[in-house]
Amino acid sequence: MSKPTPEIPPERPNDPASDKRDGTINDPLKTPQDIETDDKAPATDISLVNGQNTPREYKKDNQSFFMQRGYQILLVLGLIAAFLLVMVYQTLFGRIEQPEQKVTIEQGDTYYGLLPQWQQQIPLFSASIAKFYIKSQVDAPLHAGIYQLPENPTIAEALHVLQQGAKVAMVKVQIIEGKTAKDLYQNLRDNPGIKKEVLTADSDNASIAKALDLVGILPDSVINSDDPIVSYNLEGWFTPDTYYYGEDASDKQVLTDLYKRQQQALTLAWENRAADLPYKTPYEALIMASIIEKETSVPEERELVAAVFTNRLNKGMRLQTDPTIIYGMGSRYDGNIRRQDIDEKTSYNTYQINGLPPTPIALPSAASIEATLHPADSEALYFVATGNGGHKFTNSLDEHNQAVRDYLKVMRERKSQTPPE
């Protein structure tokens, strides 16, 4: 009996077709993930194909590219911000290394004018930041005066001190170059804002020098002189200038301050003086500076006048300068020098005495002190006024006499052109 032939079920229209070519059929029990796992080949590194070890590059529209660039920008901005913060801190809180000291603010000075000092001494100091700080924080102008700055101040601390000037009444003390110590004393006596401690009604040269403790700066010849003009005379030892003090300042404070300034100027100039000068001590240089101060008001002539007197001293010639006659006459001077005044031998008349007078004859400026110790390179021995401003400098007596005749001619012509009153 033959076996019955197995019956192959017909393909269903919804079943996937069999792959007749490779003899496989789709397994309906496998999921698409199983099939993908079986058929997927390992990924091939493109660098192994093209033989180049080139890293992949992100496309510019890739999100990672923009994140990477963003971090770099933030880092740069952070560094800039940190640098600016350091500049701000250094500008406002960086300190100048200096002792506690007084600073004089002159009329017309500004807050901005004080910035270069900080800019030179404080690293990373920004003038622009400082100006912005001043503009935003300071609402009052800078007042002339003398201010006490603390030790190692910051600009913020200094500005705080300077702003107090608007709240403090200042007393003006003005001493003009060429004026005398007597003029200075009277100026302080007449100033109602200055308390009188030294310049009392019965004070004289000796009492003033002792009250200021300045006796030691005078030579014995001055201390022991029988001439009342010479004895204990502090002439020349006070710096002429314009100063501002608080209303509670005393004459002792002012005079001590002016003396210290003059001493500092004289010491500095003496230490840097030219060679082969005929002055043995700084005091002798101070005497000569006072004569130069009285002889010319033209700044450019100071060194030439100094050269004339240096040359005359080196040659043993008398100085023969009119201001010394006037100072020696004291209160007797009425505005004119007569022949009898020239011939009178006083302690100061350099037509009659050799060398320098015993003390200075005026309050010399720092410029005259500097000129004394750095005279011009000139062989001139004479000078006389031109009548048109300034002086004519000459090397011989004949040239000098001609310069005198020229001066007198100018003065006669000027007088003839002046209408009668």
Side-chain angles (χ1 to χ4, degrees):
M1 196 172 160
S2 61
K3 296 181 179 179
T5 302
E7 197 174 298
I8 300 173
E11 294 183 357
R12 290 176 290 183
N14 293 332
D15 289 342
S18 302
D19 191 345
K20 305 297 183 181
R21 289 171 297 178
D22 57 9
T24 62
I25 60 173
N26 292 326
D27 187 347
L29 298 180
K30 290 185 177 182
T31 63
Q33 290 83 355
D34 296 333
I35 297 172
E36 184 175 339
T37 301
D38 291 345
D39 297 340
K40 187 175 182 181
T44 302
D45 190 341
I46 189 65
S47 63
L48 299 178
V49 177
N50 61 19
Q52 298 179 1
N53 192 18
T54 305
R56 295 182 183 181
E57 295 182 359
Y58 292 110
K59 295 181 179 180
K60 290 187 177 181
D61 58 353
N62 189 297
Q63 186 176 4
S64 298
F65 171 80
F66 288 107
M67 289 180 63
Q68 189 178 34
R69 293 297 298 273
Y71 291 145
Q72 294 173 349
I73 293 173
L74 287 175
L75 177 61
V76 172
L77 293 177
L79 292 174
I80 294 175
F83 180 75
L84 290 175
L85 286 174
V86 172
M87 288 185 64
V88 171
Y89 182 85
Q90 284 291 94
T91 299
L92 301 182
F93 304 105
R95 296 186 178 275
I96 291 183
E97 294 186 5
Q98 64 182 30
E100 181 179 350
Q101 63 181 3
K102 292 179 181 179
V103 60
T104 301
I105 302 299
E106 303 291 351
Q107 197 73 32
D109 286 350
T110 65
Y111 288 105
Y112 292 166
L114 305 176
L115 298 183
Q117 180 184 4
W118 271 272
Q119 197 163 19
Q120 291 175 4
Q121 300 186 39
I122 297 179
L124 298 180
F125 183 93
S126 170
S128 299
I129 294 174
K131 289 179 180 179
F132 177 78
Y133 179 81
I134 292 171
K135 188 175 182 180
S136 62
Q137 299 296 321
V138 179
D139 55 2
L142 183 60
H143 288 252
I146 297 179
Y147 299 85
Q148 184 74 45
L149 291 183
E151 181 181 3
N152 302 333
T154 66
I155 187 174
E157 293 171 345
L159 290 175
H160 176 73
V161 172
L162 295 176
Q163 287 183 81
Q164 305 309 308
K167 305 174 185 178
V168 180
M170 292 291 174
V171 177
K172 181 178 180 180
V173 177
Q174 186 174 30
I175 306 98
I176 301 173
E177 294 90 342
K179 291 292 185 179
T180 65
K182 183 179 179 181
D183 296 326
L184 169 60
Y185 299 157
Q186 193 60 46
N187 183 311
L188 295 177
R189 287 190 178 101
D190 295 340
N191 194 323
I194 300 295
K195 293 190 300 183
K196 311 304 182 291
E197 294 182 8
V198 175
L199 303 174
T200 57
D202 58 347
S203 60
D204 56 13
N205 285 344
S207 64
I208 294 172
K210 291 176 181 177
L212 296 175
D213 195 23
L214 298 181
V215 175
I217 67 173
L218 298 173
D220 291 340
S221 59
V222 174
I223 295 174
N224 301 323
S225 176
D226 294 331
D227 188 333
I229 299 179
V230 177
S231 181
Y232 287 93
N233 192 342
L234 293 176
E235 190 66 77
W237 275 116
F238 306 107
T239 297
D241 208 336
T242 300
Y243 304 92
Y244 296 87
Y245 291 89
E247 285 189 323
D248 60 343
S250 67
D251 55 1
K252 183 175 183 179
Q253 176 186 347
V254 174
L255 291 172
T256 301
D257 184 36
L258 270 56
Y259 161 71
K260 289 181 178 179
R261 291 170 182 263
Q262 191 76 314
Q263 183 188 50
Q264 183 179 17
L266 178 60
T267 300
L268 181 62
W270 179 261
E271 290 175 349
N272 297 281
R273 66 188 182 279
D276 301 325
L277 295 177
Y279 314 114
K280 297 177 182 179
T281 65
Y283 189 68
E284 290 185 353
L286 188 66
I287 295 173
M288 178 54 72
S290 71
I291 296 174
I292 293 172
E293 191 71 60
K294 294 297 292 184
E295 280 289 6
T296 181
S297 59
V298 181
E300 295 78 13
E301 289 187 347
R302 287 192 176 103
E303 287 80 5
L304 278 170
V305 173
V308 168
F309 289 134
T310 299
N311 293 337
R312 292 179 76 90
L313 287 174
N314 286 333
K315 290 179 178 293
M317 299 173 65
R318 287 179 175 174
L319 296 180
Q320 295 182 326
T321 168
D322 291 353
T324 61
I325 298 176
I326 296 171
Y327 195 85
M329 293 175 65
S331 58
R332 295 187 291 113
Y333 177 65
D334 61 2
N336 295 304
I337 298 178
R338 303 170 180 85
R339 170 51 61 180
Q340 64 187 37
D341 300 324
I342 297 175
D343 294 339
E344 181 186 9
K345 186 173 183 179
T346 68
S347 299
Y348 289 87
N349 186 353
T350 54
Y351 283 85
Q352 302 299 324
I353 65 172
N354 298 323
L356 296 166
T359 74
I361 62 171
L363 302 177
S365 63
S368 290
I369 294 174
E370 190 68 24
T372 298
L373 295 169
H374 293 88
D377 184 10
S378 171
E379 297 181 357
L381 293 171
Y382 306 90
F383 64 93
V384 66
T386 62
N388 296 313
H391 294 82
K392 174 71 172 179
F393 295 84
T394 53
N395 297 359
S396 68
L397 183 58
D398 289 341
E399 293 174 330
H400 174 65
N401 289 335
Q402 180 60 52
V404 171
R405 288 191 290 271
D406 293 341
Y407 165 74
L408 294 175
K409 180 180 178 182
V410 170
M411 297 307 294
R412 285 193 298 268
E413 292 176 352
R414 182 173 297 174
K415 185 176 181 180
S416 65
Q417 294 173 1
T418 303
E421 295 181 0

